[in-house]
Amino acid sequence: MAVGHIRGAVFRPSLRLLFHRHGHSEAAPSATTVTFCPPAASQYDWIGPPDRNSNLRPISYFIPKHESVLEKKLRTLRHETHEWNQSFWANQNLSFIKEKEEYINMKLKALGLSERDEEGRKRNLNAEEMAEFYRDFLGKNLEKHTSYNREWYERNFRITFLMGQVALQRVWKKLSKKERATET
């Protein structure tokens, strides 16, 4: 029974995923690493459930038996880009959560309120008060986000260009095989 399809790949989380939790330090966000165990005959990338820190889905990339140098270069760049993206968003989300909690606590103290109400529930701020935090957070991180977007577009352009080269290489290889088959 298939749960979902990713570019033709069947994703069976109950059968093929092993979850490992790694310890964490204050410097690096804690993460749940997903180890994929696709069947030996699988010829597709496998996509896992979202990481709890970055909200990005981990990918286990398929490595063909007779991978060309160009295909390896593409796979490596895709993997490096995914790791870079994973790291950025895990750190960004950790920073966001930490700063949001600090802001809420500071605002509650300024209003003379404790972190919890009389019934023990955690207090929240209203939308207008939180809008101030979101605006300030985005303003403080504008340069970081701009740099991230620039790098993201550059990486995606290189990946797309390499994908085109790999596609042409595969077509050329197929045409060469057909030519040799008709000559004999």
Side-chain angles (χ1 to χ4, degrees), residues 35-139:
T35 304
F36 298 93
C37 300
S42 176
Q43 296 182 11
Y44 303 100
D45 295 338
W46 278 51
I47 313 298
D51 178 81
R52 67 183 184 153
N53 293 312
S54 70
N55 293 322
L56 299 177
R57 294 178 176 273
I59 303 172
S60 178
Y61 293 96
F62 168 68
I63 303 172
K65 266 186 193 177
H66 304 290
E67 183 178 49
S68 71
V69 173
L70 201 54
E71 288 171 323
K72 182 176 182 174
K73 186 176 178 180
L74 172 61
R75 181 178 48 82
T76 302
L77 180 58
R78 287 178 66 209
H79 178 72
E80 288 171 356
T81 298
H82 186 77
E83 292 298 315
W84 166 79
N85 204 19
Q86 168 73 25
S87 175
F88 176 84
W89 285 110
N91 290 330
Q92 189 65 12
N93 291 344
L94 182 68
S95 173
F96 175 83
I97 290 166
K98 180 182 173 194
E99 289 182 35
K100 181 179 165 188
E101 287 299 317
E102 289 172 355
Y103 176 82
I104 290 171
N105 290 335
M106 178 195 69
K107 277 292 202 182
L108 289 173
K109 282 182 184 176
L111 295 170
L113 299 170
S114 64
E115 191 176 320
R116 303 218 175 254
D117 65 13
E118 298 78 28
E119 296 173 11
R121 292 179 298 214
K122 193 170 184 174
R123 292 186 197 270
N124 290 313
L125 300 176
N126 64 35
E128 291 85 27
E129 292 166 324
M130 289 308 298
E132 183 182 325
F133 165 74
Y134 298 134
R135 185 188 66 241
D136 291 344
F137 183 83
L138 288 173

